[in-house]
Structure formats: C-alpha cells, structure tokens
Amino acid sequence: MKIRLLLSLLAFFAISLTATYASFPVEQKTENTAVVKKQNAELTSPAAVGGSKSQIIAAILCFAIGGLGIHRFYLGYTWQGIVQLLTAGGCGVWALIDLIRICTGNLGPKDGSYDKTF
C-alpha cells in the first residue's frame, strides 16, 4: 500500500512538472455584454512570458546541483534533464561537460539564445 502511494505521488509530481500554460485570444466586453472589439493580442501567463534565460543562472545550477540535471530543465531540455536525474549526471561526467559547454556558450536554451551572459 505504501509503495502504491509513493508511486502515485511521484507520478503526480512528474505530471505537474510538465504542465504548461496556454495563451488564448481575448474579447473585450462592456457591461451590457456586447462585444466591443476583438483583440489580436494574447494574454500570457508569467511562466510563458519569463522565457528569458541567463547563462549565469544556468552555470550556477550546473555547478551546484549538476548531478540532478536541474540546469537542463532550466534550459528547456526536459528529457535530457530526466535522464541526468536518473543517472546522477552520468556519474558527474555529463554535468562537468555541461558546465564547460555552458561557460563557453555552446549549450544554450532550447528556444533561442541567452538574454544575459557572462
């Protein structure tokens, strides 16, 4: 029974880590519920807006807890982060290589480039 509870909690946390927030079109309405105009702008959640990544933060995460692969999650490489988490960063070797790649600028965010660099 305890093992089932533990596995269900782990599954819940794994699912909640991969949840995303979607943007949607917005219609403005007046008090009498008549549509005034349709906007093309989209509302976004703070998580979606916060797409800027810092090379300094990635290097600190890799240096401090590189064996857990948290820096890969931060940079947007979810599957590689999971593999690093399960293998303890390739026994530290993969984490060391990632630290060197982050410092040289060779390993960047999945969706583009760093907003803040060294």
Side-chain angles (χ1 to χ4, degrees):
M1 183 69 181
K2 291 180 182 179
I3 293 175
R4 264 191 212 168
L5 179 62
L6 179 65
L7 290 175
S8 62
L9 284 173
L10 286 173
F12 172 75
F13 287 122
I15 291 170
S16 66
L17 285 176
T18 59
T20 58
Y21 298 95
S23 303
F24 52 91
V26 178
E27 293 181 4
Q28 289 184 344
K29 297 182 179 183
T30 60
E31 291 179 355
N32 61 2
T33 67
V35 176
V36 175
K37 68 177 183 176
K38 204 174 204 180
Q39 284 185 332
N40 289 332
E42 295 181 355
L43 291 179
T44 56
S45 69
V49 173
S52 62
K53 303 294 181 195
S54 171
Q55 186 179 16
I56 298 167
I57 299 294
I60 291 171
L61 286 173
C62 187
F63 179 76
I65 48 179
L68 298 177
I70 304 300
H71 60 284
R72 286 287 187 159
F73 289 107
Y74 175 74
L75 294 174
Y77 301 103
T78 306
W79 284 108
Q80 291 173 352
I82 291 171
V83 172
Q84 274 195 348
L85 184 65
L86 295 175
T87 63
C91 295
V93 175
W94 194 0
L96 178 64
I97 292 170
D98 279 353
L99 180 63
I100 294 168
R101 289 183 64 201
I102 289 171
C103 290
T104 60
N106 192 12
L107 178 62
K110 186 175 185 178
D111 59 351
S113 59
Y114 293 111
D115 288 341
K116 296 179 184 176
T117 59
F118 289 129

